[in-house]
């Protein structure tokens, strides 16, 4: 919800996007340090909220700075693909390190995270200082960003982001770990249990899914993200951005329909991997499309604006998954329906100008 406010705010940060990146890293490190001492109290929730806000600010800054450091649209997709691949690999490694740290104690993962933020801070100083824009957006820039092709593609990516948020929380509630539900021996955990009750789930003592079920879904998500970062640059050399977005929308509808039919852990693995693969590929194609179709616009500011909208879509999808008491298979069907609507909408947009072969 606060993401639309982040874009205009970080435009004015001294030091440009590097300044915003460093601020978010320092802020998250301080929050991780505080979380280690407040895992069982109500203060955990505002700390977690602050962590999420800073994470979104970092995401906006990262998406905005990349276009300023490359020279053409193919370089842009390659750079974003490399970042996506590093993110996928880092997420899987981080999950493993966090699981090992949890064996030491409940606060150990937050202390490991603090160490990770310190390393990130040291690396962040090497990012060039890039100002997104010296002045307000011109009329020509705004007109370029309102082209029909960009609007249709942005709507499709917004649906993908909403689907990512929706499936993340849908699967988290379905495959929550443990054997005896959510304990209510502390106020903070009681608040978490109340959310489950709102959803109509008996989280106070019903058996939960084995932890390895959720681990298998996370592995599928990581593989899907890795494949999108690997395949997207290669596909971009043969097909236009519009063709890529249409293709992954169709693949997403098919994968969600298959997950609805399979159900259970097989369906969760399919939906997790499919959403990661399709959303990652579509986002890389969209980045390249903006670079191609808005040559006169300031791409850093443009990416900040679009990223804010996409993060808002993610929040809406996550909100619906938390507060709608849906069986997981019904959630898969909603995903299929949403991407089918996005595909139909995108089909009404302009046809790709040509097939790219380089």
């Amino acid at each position: 919800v606060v993401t639309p406010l982040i874009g205009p705010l970080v435009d004015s940060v001294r030091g440009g996007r590097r300044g915003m990146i460093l601020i978010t890293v320092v802020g998250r490190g301080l929050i991780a340090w505080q979380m280690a001492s407040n895992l069982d109290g109500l203060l955990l929730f505002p700390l977690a909220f602050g962590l999420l806000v800073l994470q979104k600010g970092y995401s906006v800054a990262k998406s905005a700075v990349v276009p300023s450091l490359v020279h053409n649209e193919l370089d842009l997709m390659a750079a974003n693909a490399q970042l996506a691949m590093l993110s996928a690999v880092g997420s899987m490694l981080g999950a493993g390190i966090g699981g090992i740290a949890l064996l030491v104690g409940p606060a150990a993962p937050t202390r490991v995270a603090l160490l990770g933020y310190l390393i990130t801070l040291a690396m962040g100083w090497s990012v060039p200082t890039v100002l997104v824009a010296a002045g307000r957006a011109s009329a020509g820039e705004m007109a370029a960003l309102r082209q029909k092709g960009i609007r249709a593609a942005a709507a499709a990516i917004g649906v993908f982001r909403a689907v990512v948020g929706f499936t993340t929380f849908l699967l988290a509630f379905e495959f929550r770990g443990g054997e005896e539900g959510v304990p209510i021996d502390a106020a903070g955990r009681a608040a978490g249990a109340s959310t489950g009750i709102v959803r109509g789930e008996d989280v106070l003592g019903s058996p939960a899914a084995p932890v390895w079920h959720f681990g298998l879904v996370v592995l599928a998500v990581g593989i899907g993200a890795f494949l999108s970062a690997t395949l997207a640059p290669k596909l971009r050399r043969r097909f236009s951005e519009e063709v890529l977005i249409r293709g992954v929308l169709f693949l997403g509808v098919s994968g969600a329909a298959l997950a609805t039919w399979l159900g259970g852990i097989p369906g969760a693995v399919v939906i997790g991997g499919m959403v990661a693969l399709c959303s990652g590929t579509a986002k890389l194609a969209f980045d390249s499309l903006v670079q191609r179709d808005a040559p006169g616009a300031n791409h850093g500011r443009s990416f900040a604006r679009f990223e804010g909208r996409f993060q808002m879509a993610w929040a809406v999808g996550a909100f619906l998954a938390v507060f709608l008491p849906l069986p997981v298979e019904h959630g898969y069907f909603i995903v299929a329906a949403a991407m089918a609507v996005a595909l139909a909408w995108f089909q009404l947009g302009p046809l790709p100008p040509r097939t790219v072969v380089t």
Side-chain angles (χ1 to χ4, degrees):
V1 173
V2 302
T3 302
L5 305 177
I6 294 176
L9 175 64
V10 298
D11 278 347
S12 59
V13 172
R14 294 189 63 181
R17 291 301 175 178
R18 185 185 71 172
M20 185 59 189
I21 289 174
L22 296 178
I23 288 173
T24 59
V25 172
V26 171
R28 283 182 288 172
L30 294 174
I31 289 176
W33 174 56
Q34 287 295 314
M35 289 178 73
S37 304
N38 295 278
L39 292 179
D40 295 325
L42 290 176
L43 186 59
L44 176 67
F45 293 94
L47 288 174
F49 174 76
L51 198 69
L52 288 173
V53 170
L54 291 176
Q55 170 60 30
K56 300 308 178 186
Y58 170 80
S59 180
V60 170
K62 181 189 68 174
S63 296
V65 76
V66 172
S68 303
L69 303 177
V70 298
H71 301 93
N72 56 63
E73 62 190 62
L74 291 179
D75 287 345
L76 175 68
M77 176 165 284
N80 280 293
Q82 291 174 5
L83 288 175
M85 184 179 299
L86 289 172
S87 178
V89 174
S91 296
M92 289 188 286
L93 291 177
I97 294 172
I100 295 173
L102 193 60
L103 298 176
V104 178
T110 58
R111 295 192 173 98
V112 173
L114 175 58
L115 177 61
Y117 289 133
L118 291 176
I119 296 173
T120 305
L121 179 63
M123 294 180 174
W125 285 105
S126 62
V127 177
T129 301
V130 178
L131 294 176
V132 174
R136 299 177 61 86
S138 65
E141 176 181 339
M142 298 303 296
L145 295 178
R146 294 192 183 105
Q147 294 183 56
K148 185 177 181 181
I150 293 179
R151 292 203 311 268
I157 305 304
V159 171
F160 266 123
R161 282 294 182 90
V163 164
V164 169
F166 182 82
T167 54
T168 298
F169 281 83
L170 180 72
L171 296 177
F173 274 96
E174 179 67 16
F175 296 102
R176 63 188 186 277
E179 297 179 352
E180 298 181 352
V182 177
I184 57 171
D185 55 351
R189 290 169 179 164
S194 65
T195 303
I197 294 174
V198 170
R199 289 171 49 87
E201 298 182 3
D202 181 11
V203 298
L204 303 181
S206 61
V211 176
W212 69 267
H213 281 192
F214 193 71
L216 192 60
V217 175
V218 172
L219 178 62
V221 171
I223 293 174
F226 180 82
L227 288 176
S228 71
T230 303
L231 297 177
K234 297 178 182 178
L235 293 173
R236 172 60 184 83
R237 295 182 181 276
R238 297 183 59 86
F239 304 103
S240 68
E241 292 84 355
E242 290 86 351
V243 170
L244 288 179
I245 294 176
R246 286 188 176 92
V248 294
L249 281 170
F250 179 79
L251 179 61
V253 174
S254 304
L258 177 61
T260 304
W261 179 70
L262 290 174
I265 185 65
V269 170
V270 169
I271 197 79
M274 178 275 303
V275 168
L277 171 62
C278 295
S279 62
T281 303
K283 181 59 168 61
L284 291 172
F286 176 78
D287 291 347
S288 182
L289 187 148
V290 173
Q291 179 83 357
R292 186 200 73 193
D293 285 354
N298 184 302
H299 294 101
R301 182 162 50 195
S302 305
F303 276 76
R305 178 180 294 108
F306 285 122
E307 188 65 23
R309 297 173 185 175
F310 297 154
Q311 295 291 356
M312 173 68 81
W314 186 96
V316 170
F319 178 85
L320 293 176
V322 170
F323 290 100
L324 290 180
L326 291 171
V328 67
E329 288 79 10
H330 293 181
Y332 300 160
F333 179 78
I334 290 176
V335 170
M339 286 193 283
V341 171
L343 177 60
W345 173 264
F346 194 72
Q347 283 294 119
L348 300 176
L351 293 174
R354 58 187 176 88
T355 299
V356 179
V357 179
T358 56

